[in-house]
Amino acid sequence: MSEPLNTNTHAFLATCPKGLEELLADELRALDAEPFKTTVAGVHFQGDLAAAYRACLWSRLANRIVLCLVREEGIESPDSLRQAVTTVDWAQHLRSGATLAVDFHGRSEQIRHTRFGAQTVKDGVVDALQTAGRPRPDVDLKEPDLRLYAHLHRGRLTLGVDLSGESLHRRGYRRDVGHAPLKENLAAALLMRAGWPERLRAGEHLVDPLCGAGTLLIEAALMAADMAPNLARVRFGFHGWAGHDNELWLELRREAEARASIGRKRCRNRLFGFDQSPPALAAAKANAMRAGIPALVTFKGASLEQLQRPAELDVAARGLVIANPPYGERLGELPELVALYAELGEGVRRAFPGWRLAVFTGNPDLGHRIGLRADKQYSLKNGPLDAKLLLMNVTAATADADATVKPEGQPRSDGAQMFANRLEKNRKRLKKWLKQSGESCYRLYDADMPEYALAVDVYGDRVHVQEYAPPRSVNAAQAQKRLFDALQVIPEVLNVDAGQVVIKRREKQSGKEQYRKQASSGERFQVREGRARLWVNLRDYLDTGLFLDHRPVRRMLAEMAPGTRFLNLFCYTGAATVQAALGTEEAGGASDSISVDLSNTYLDWARDNFALNGLDPARHRVVRDDCLRWLETARAEFDLIFLDPPTFSNSKKMDGTLDVQRDHVRLLELTMARLAPGGTLVFSNNQRRFQLDPTLAERYAVQDISVKTFDPDFQRRPDLHHCFLIRHREGT
């Protein structure tokens, strides 16, 4: 049933982000309201109109303040919803000629779409007004005079007037938001949970070492200056409400303006924001200016490595360091973030011992890389993402007692130190071979220790890390910790920037994974292998464009290729063709070649590799086709053929599927039909348990050379690929 409007106490609903309900209830009590019930993402409270106006003006946490007019159970059908709406005397709320909009949330079995629910509520308002002899109101979805809020959950309807208008978290100061900004009311909640209101009253200070657009600092400054967060707002929802008391509102606003004027002058707390991005700092300064507190916050350009205690603070000064670092929604972002969190911990320990540190992150495992123990944490939502606020005391003693500490002061766990030792051992083992061969692209580590199930490949001054997906029997949190250990250690041991380390997860492939794009960086660079220069891309695909384990096979093809007609089937990015075409310095390379693949992406890549090495496209051609189909129709013969099919493929562009174990006999028969007398087929595949059909050895001369096709960096995994030389028998 509807609740009558009277001049004293009303029922209201304050909505907020999930997880802030208790904080909001406490805030409302401080504003002379009386909370009587909390619900998911909301607090019901009682109070007079002044309490509602104060909530609109002063609440740092609420999204909306709703004057509740209907709270009724058993609403399931459109008819019952419409009937409940008509019980309200809408003439008390909607002025004649005013426009209307309805925000509807929720559903029932019969009301499944919010637009239909909003239309039904609007129809109920129209019915009530027309019964009272009032004209039908117009709808204005963008800037209505009166906005209604309706929420339906499990048959319970809450309906009322939205007194706030635009969501209260939009303070109006933030036009330059930077990258992935916090909402203003979430920032205020983080500050409250971190104890900033108590600390500012104690005369303490605030530092944000990753300030971005400055939201945390500005919200903190508004608290320090006793400024109402929505003091600068020109229009609220109640301005178009027929029951609005403008004199009361102006009185409350004048009171807030006076408090702000006094608060700005009395504020002795110092607030500092650091960021290494000039655009972010420019946005932060502009936002602070619009918020009316530019003199209270000092912004400086600095990275975490450069973080220092501000000269304006004496050694005895204490305060809160608060940060909202990125936490990586994509696996590929982790290497830089592991380093960033470690640098955050190191910088705070160096510059702010004795302070309190608050870190808001969607990845608590990254938070552990800070090297400080969280004595308190709060679970919150950042939009749809689960996140935690971690609170720590910044003292050297809070670093993990069992951690190994490097000379730079960065803690390492025992496992991380073991992993680092193995990397160093492998580097020492490969050092002589690398010097003799001149190779700059090689595998340094391949799951040597079962606990660290990674492959680590070096590409010059960059590193490609593949995480083998752990089995279900392995604790996911422990696997994540070990991955972060490795990502901390790799840049340190290899002396590379963390931004040059790329991480991917290697799942069991479905046949399309090799071709699936994982990113769109377009970040490719040249590497050298023997006489060849080749393009590689570490970020955008599961594979990099160069299969390192096949290096000896490509070297062998270069030695066999001089003067031959060369065919490369399933050519990928054409690296084998480049080596065959270049051949050796003494004898040259293949006279001509054809490279066949079904992927346009990789054929374009192959063309770029050919151009990079000055190969004549008239003599070295690429063909887009299903290799089986091409072999069935081809007529040319070749002196040297390289056949390296995927283990399994089910591309939409193919007729059927390809399974190398099941289909290799037919595939080899078709390929051998294209091999000239005296020629050689080099057949390779990566099926770990591959078994060559014995009947093939009865028809062709077959030589298994697998053990000879592994350089020192791959000798730990002798089953990584299989390689055969196949020739026609004499007289056949």
Side-chain angles (χ1 to χ4, degrees):
M1 59 181 294
S2 67
E3 298 186 2
L5 182 68
N6 58 59
T7 58
N8 298 313
T9 301
H10 312 296
F12 300 96
L13 168 67
T15 68
C16 64
K18 290 182 181 178
L20 305 190
E21 297 88 355
E22 293 299 330
L23 274 178
L24 176 57
D26 290 341
E27 182 185 56
L28 290 169
R29 290 187 188 95
L31 296 174
D32 294 333
E34 298 178 21
F36 62 87
K37 179 182 178 183
T38 60
T39 185
V40 177
V43 177
H44 291 274
F45 68 95
Q46 291 179 332
D48 56 15
L49 197 54
Y53 285 167
R54 287 193 197 94
C56 288
L57 184 60
W58 282 96
S59 177
R60 304 182 191 278
L61 303 173
N63 284 328
R64 300 192 178 278
I65 304 298
V66 178
L67 169 64
C68 295
L69 303 177
V70 175
R71 292 168 61 202
E72 191 164 331
E73 305 280 351
I75 305 299
E76 297 290 345
S77 68
D79 286 343
S80 61
L81 173 61
R82 188 166 178 166
Q83 181 59 38
V85 176
T86 61
T87 62
V88 177
D89 181 2
W90 290 106
Q92 291 189 61
H93 305 285
L94 189 67
R95 297 188 183 101
S96 182
T99 57
L100 177 71
V102 179
D103 290 334
F104 187 90
H105 310 268
R107 56 177 293 164
S108 70
E109 282 297 317
Q110 298 182 48
I111 304 170
R112 301 186 179 184
H113 301 286
T114 56
R115 185 177 297 178
F116 176 60
Q119 179 68 39
T120 303
V121 170
K122 189 268 294 182
D123 290 344
V125 174
V126 171
D127 289 348
L129 288 173
Q130 289 185 332
T131 299
R134 293 280 300 275
R136 181 188 187 96
D138 290 329
V139 172
D140 183 346
L141 299 179
K142 291 185 177 181
E143 295 184 358
D145 295 308
L146 189 70
R147 186 176 294 275
L148 302 185
Y149 170 93
H151 184 266
L152 181 62
H153 179 64
R154 294 183 179 178
R156 181 183 301 150
L157 172 67
T158 300
L159 172 66
V161 174
D162 183 351
L163 300 179
S164 41
E166 188 177 28
S167 178
L168 295 175
H169 84 269
R170 293 175 179 155
R171 319 287 201 222
Y173 63 74
R174 201 171 68 179
R175 297 174 196 170
D176 302 306
V177 296
H179 178 67
L182 283 174
K183 286 188 175 180
E184 293 89 324
N185 54 352
L186 177 56
L190 298 178
L191 289 159
M192 292 178 186
R193 286 297 192 199
W196 172 238
E198 295 79 14
R199 290 179 178 275
L200 70 86
R201 286 193 290 270
E204 295 189 7
H205 311 287
L206 185 76
V207 171
D208 184 348
L210 296 163
C211 69
T215 305
L216 280 165
L217 287 161
I218 293 169
E219 290 297 314
L222 292 174
M223 294 179 189
D226 193 26
M227 291 180 63
N230 284 301
L231 184 58
R233 181 177 291 217
V234 175
R235 189 182 189 280
F236 290 83
F238 54 71
H239 281 110
W241 173 49
H244 174 48
D245 185 337
N246 198 51
E247 288 188 10
L248 174 62
W249 164 246
L250 291 177
E251 180 183 343
L252 293 172
R253 182 181 174 83
R254 283 192 293 269
E255 175 190 317
E257 288 172 341
R259 286 175 59 176
S261 178
I262 296 170
R264 278 192 295 259
K265 295 173 183 176
R266 289 181 176 176
C267 182
R268 295 295 178 264
N269 311 88
R270 303 300 301 267
L271 295 89
F272 299 89
F274 300 92
D275 205 287
Q276 62 182 353
S277 167
L281 288 174
K285 291 175 182 178
N287 290 340
M289 182 69 72
R290 282 188 288 268
I293 43 83
L296 300 186
V297 186
T298 302
F299 294 102
K300 298 182 179 181
S303 66
L304 288 175
E305 290 181 337
Q306 300 164 330
L307 184 63
Q308 295 180 350
R309 176 188 290 264
E312 296 91 332
L313 299 180
D314 60 50
V315 177
R318 291 292 181 265
L320 174 69
V321 179
I322 189 166
N324 173 38
Y327 39 84
E329 296 181 51
R330 293 184 295 276
L331 186 66
E333 299 170 340
L334 287 180
E336 287 182 274
L337 295 181
V338 168
L340 183 143
Y341 277 70
E343 287 176 1
L344 174 60
E346 192 172 334
V348 171
R349 282 195 300 271
R350 180 181 64 248
F352 301 101
W355 287 44
R356 187 75 161 158
L357 173 63
V359 176
F360 185 56
T361 177
N363 192 329
D365 289 317
L366 275 173
H368 297 158
R369 314 317 293 183
I370 292 170
L372 297 170
R373 291 192 186 279
D375 56 74
K376 189 175 288 188
Q377 54 183 276
Y378 295 97
S379 296
L380 296 162
K381 285 277 192 180
N382 188 1
L385 302 176
D386 292 321
K388 286 190 176 181
L389 178 67
L390 308 175
L391 301 180
M392 306 160 235
N393 289 321
V394 184
T395 60
T398 56
D400 288 343
D402 59 348
T404 301
V405 181
K406 305 194 294 83
E408 296 87 344
Q410 174 71 30
R412 278 183 188 166
S413 67
D414 289 344
Q417 188 61 46
M418 287 172 52
F419 182 75
N421 293 343
R422 181 55 64 98
L423 291 183
E424 293 282 15
K425 179 180 177 181
N426 289 356
R427 290 182 80 191
K428 186 176 181 180
R429 176 176 61 84
L430 296 174
K431 184 176 180 180
K432 183 177 179 180
W433 168 71
L434 289 171
K435 185 175 181 179
Q436 291 175 343
S437 66
E439 297 295 347
S440 61
C441 304
Y442 58 94
R443 177 151 294 181
L444 179 62
Y445 175 93
D446 197 352
D448 301 30
M449 298 185 295
E451 301 92 337
Y452 291 85
L454 307 170
V456 180
D457 295 326
V458 176
Y459 288 79
D461 60 353
R462 310 184 194 207
V463 183
H464 185 248
V465 180
Q466 299 174 81
E467 179 193 20
Y468 299 119
R472 293 182 180 178
S473 59
V474 174
N475 181 274
Q478 190 63 31
Q480 178 92 320
K481 180 182 183 300
R482 289 168 179 160
L483 173 62
F484 287 173
D485 281 345
L487 294 179
Q488 171 194 334
V489 162
I490 287 169
E492 297 167 359
V493 173
L494 301 186
N495 195 27
V496 298
D497 186 271
Q500 301 291 66
V501 180
V502 178
I503 173 74
K504 296 171 188 166
R505 174 167 290 165
R506 193 119 202 158
E507 309 274 3
K508 184 177 180 181
Q509 293 190 29
S510 66
K512 301 176 184 177
E513 293 301 306
Q514 175 183 335
Y515 299 97
R516 183 170 63 86
K517 201 163 188 178
Q518 299 194 326
S520 300
S521 72
E523 185 181 314
R524 66 179 188 175
F525 59 98
Q526 296 178 30
V527 297
R528 183 171 286 278
E529 181 184 88
R531 301 185 67 199
R533 290 185 297 159
L534 301 165
W535 289 110
V536 296
N537 183 321
L538 305 189
R539 298 188 185 276
D540 293 349
Y541 302 90
L542 183 62
D543 294 311
T544 67
L546 185 64
F547 294 126
L548 298 183
D549 62 307
H550 278 151
R551 185 193 314 112
V553 179
R554 291 189 291 270
R555 190 164 58 237
M556 179 182 65
L557 290 171
E559 294 167 354
M560 298 170 66
T564 63
R565 295 162 293 170
F566 178 67
L567 173 63
N568 187 358
L569 297 167
F570 303 97
C571 72
Y572 189 40
T573 61
T577 304
V578 171
Q579 294 286 16
L582 294 176
T584 64
E585 291 186 15
E586 298 79 12
S591 60
D592 56 81
S593 70
I594 294 178
S595 301
V596 185
D597 202 284
L598 195 55
S599 166
N600 281 323
T601 297
Y602 290 127
L603 289 178
D604 287 342
W605 201 328
R607 291 186 185 96
D608 289 344
N609 278 335
F610 292 1
L612 186 61
N613 290 274
L615 303 188
D616 183 355
R619 293 195 301 118
H620 300 284
R621 298 187 294 120
V622 298
V623 175
R624 180 184 176 275
D625 206 344
D626 178 338
C627 287
L628 282 167
R629 185 166 55 224
W630 186 86
L631 286 168
E632 288 170 347
T633 58
R635 294 293 177 264
E637 288 190 336
F638 300 87
D639 306 304
L640 180 62
I641 302 177
F642 180 47
L643 173 63
D644 182 32
T647 298
F648 181 81
S649 182
N650 60 350
S651 169
K652 293 179 180 179
K653 302 171 185 175
M654 289 177 55
D655 296 329
T657 63
L658 173 68
D659 182 308
V660 70
Q661 183 63 66
R662 181 192 68 198
D663 300 327
H664 75 276
V665 172
R666 176 169 173 255
L667 183 57
L668 287 171
E669 287 174 345
L670 289 170
T671 306
M672 292 301 289
R674 306 274 60 81
L675 183 66
T680 302
L681 164 62
V682 180
F683 169 51
S684 176
N685 71 78
N686 289 80
Q687 168 62 269
R688 296 287 177 86
R689 299 177 182 177
F690 179 78
Q691 296 290 326
L692 192 72
D693 191 298
T695 63
L696 291 168
E698 299 171 4
R699 300 165 57 188
Y700 308 110
V702 178
Q703 181 183 2
D704 186 345
I705 62 167
S706 300
V707 295
K708 300 178 181 179
T709 60
F710 290 97
D711 276 341
D713 55 333
F714 280 96
Q715 288 177 353
R716 283 195 71 258
R717 303 288 288 272
D719 63 344
L720 193 57
H721 66 241
H722 302 270
C723 192
F724 306 87
L725 300 183
I726 305 178
R727 300 180 177 92
H728 293 296
R729 290 188 179 277
E730 292 186 11
T732 61

